[in-house]
Amino acid sequence: MDNRRLLSRPSQLRDFGAKLRLTAMLFGCDNQKALDALFREADPNTDFDIARSYKWMQGRAAPRSAKLYEEWARLLDAGRSSEWLATCELDAFVAALEARHGAAAAALRTAIASSPDDAAPSGQDGFLPGRFAVYSLAQSPYYEGRFIRSDLALGPSNPAEPGHPARLGETFAGVRAVWSGLIEESAQGLSGELRNENGALSPSYLALVRPTLPGSLLAGLQTGFVSLQPGAQRPFATRIAALRIPDLAVDRLAESNRYLEDETGIAADLDALGLPIGEAPGFAEDLGRWLRQADERDGPNRVSEIASLVEIADRLWLRTL
């Protein structure tokens, strides 16, 4: 198979990236390692390359290996050739999966916000922008042991700027503080420095695990300086988890920022924001445990495996669509 035609068309590259992300979603793969394992189940000598797959899924490049397309076609089992798989339009791809996998694939059409008559190919911008409820451990000594709920807004990237416009808001001591800047994408993940909009507080830095479609949970680390404490500000690093919320809850997201006593507060907050938390017993407890975790292997300031949290967050988000 000659892939030069595929590689020469930006629209087909975007379609290719979306098709690979939808494949990962169909089979429950929440990261590149899981997708690599899926291909290796089909062929231990697969040509799937984890390092290159980041660019593939972003629609910035496509594999040249004909063997990889053949492996992919076998995995999908949709009765289509590897050549068709490489060059078909996104809507036709989803339709083929619906015909073969039924309800499991039907949710994919909702995830890409397309209809039978209107394909919606997109790159990373197609699912990353949105509004998120952010949870982390409170760093102020006045609220030790509690969680702080903040809000995050991510906008579409601009070709003239190297990242997604971001605004992170918190409320403490009766004051709303907002940090803004650009969150940039790399092969490793998402990261960026956000500066306080009125200049009174220190910057905040985010380093997040690269999300996959539908981007329901952004998890990683936040570093900065404690704003509410006696004496001089001291530096901190904490785990954070940002959950995408439905549009109907956007208007009340910022105004409901606050400290939460414990994991039951996280559950109640997610429920109030329109995520069907009742369908995922134990999720809030697991999320709180992950935020507090400082296991011996990873240490307190590294991000350990989050696959199980991502899977449940995806299911909760898709139930809102």
Side-chain angles (χ1 to χ4, degrees):
M1 178 175 57
D2 184 358
N3 290 329
R4 287 176 295 180
R5 181 164 62 94
L6 173 65
L7 294 170
S8 66
R9 297 185 182 181
S11 62
Q12 287 188 313
L13 277 177
R14 290 195 298 270
D15 272 13
F16 175 84
K19 287 184 285 189
L20 192 57
R21 295 197 303 271
L22 292 175
T23 299
M25 184 177 173
L26 177 66
F27 291 103
C29 301
D30 69 328
N31 55 45
Q32 260 70 14
K33 287 185 178 179
L35 194 55
D36 176 68
L38 184 69
F39 273 85
R40 292 194 183 282
E41 285 183 11
D43 185 343
N45 298 314
T46 180
D47 283 351
F48 189 89
D49 186 300
I50 292 179
R52 291 193 179 98
S53 68
Y54 289 100
K55 288 187 177 181
W56 299 344
M57 296 183 80
Q58 292 171 33
R60 295 164 54 196
R64 296 177 180 271
S65 166
K67 178 173 176 288
L68 183 63
Y69 289 89
E70 293 167 0
E71 295 166 358
W72 192 11
R74 290 199 301 271
L75 279 173
L76 294 175
D77 189 27
R80 302 286 185 158
S81 69
S82 57
E83 289 82 359
W84 178 88
L85 179 62
T87 59
C88 69
E89 294 184 355
L90 183 57
D91 197 59
F93 176 81
V94 175
L97 293 189
E98 286 177 325
R100 172 63 183 86
H101 297 279
L108 303 183
R109 188 177 295 281
T110 303
I112 62 170
S114 66
S115 66
D117 298 320
D118 182 22
S122 62
Q124 194 80 325
D125 273 358
F127 73 92
L128 188 56
R131 297 295 299 274
F132 300 82
V134 184
Y135 303 90
S136 63
L137 278 179
Q139 297 300 308
S140 170
Y142 301 127
Y143 295 93
E144 186 174 359
R146 300 184 190 182
F147 298 104
I148 185 169
R149 209 296 301 282
S150 51
D151 69 281
L152 175 67
L154 281 179
S157 62
N158 185 328
E161 294 180 307
H164 296 269
R167 297 184 83 232
L168 176 69
E170 291 184 2
T171 299
F172 50 86
V175 175
R176 174 167 168 79
V178 179
W179 292 260
S180 60
L182 291 175
I183 298 295
E184 298 186 33
E185 303 178 48
S186 68
Q188 290 76 32
L190 310 177
S191 61
E193 182 184 60
L194 307 181
R195 292 188 169 272
N196 184 239
E197 291 188 346
N198 64 16
L201 300 172
S202 301
S204 182
Y205 187 86
L206 300 182
L208 306 172
V209 175
R210 174 174 288 282
T212 53
L213 189 77
S216 63
L217 173 63
L218 308 181
L221 299 175
Q222 177 185 12
T223 63
F225 290 83
V226 180
S227 301
L228 186 60
Q229 68 166 38
Q233 290 183 329
R234 59 179 173 82
F236 74 88
T238 184
R239 293 181 176 187
I240 65 169
L243 281 95
R244 189 181 298 275
I245 65 162
D247 290 342
L248 291 176
V250 166
D251 290 343
R252 60 180 182 272
L253 179 62
E255 68 184 28
S256 60
N257 283 343
R258 64 198 186 282
Y259 289 98
L260 304 173
E261 291 288 342
D262 51 27
E263 286 79 356
T264 59
I266 294 179
D269 190 55
L270 291 173
D271 182 65
L273 292 172
L275 290 173
I277 192 66
E279 298 181 14
F283 174 71
E285 290 77 7
D286 290 341
L287 182 64
R289 189 178 302 113
W290 181 83
L291 291 170
R292 297 181 189 276
Q293 186 177 1
D295 64 49
E296 295 179 358
R297 180 190 64 187
D298 283 347
N301 298 328
R302 298 181 185 175
V303 177
S304 58
E305 183 60 49
I306 59 169
S308 59
L309 292 174
V310 170
E311 179 182 357
I312 296 174
D314 282 352
R315 294 179 186 278
L316 292 176
W317 169 250
L318 291 173
R319 290 283 289 137
T320 71
L321 300 178

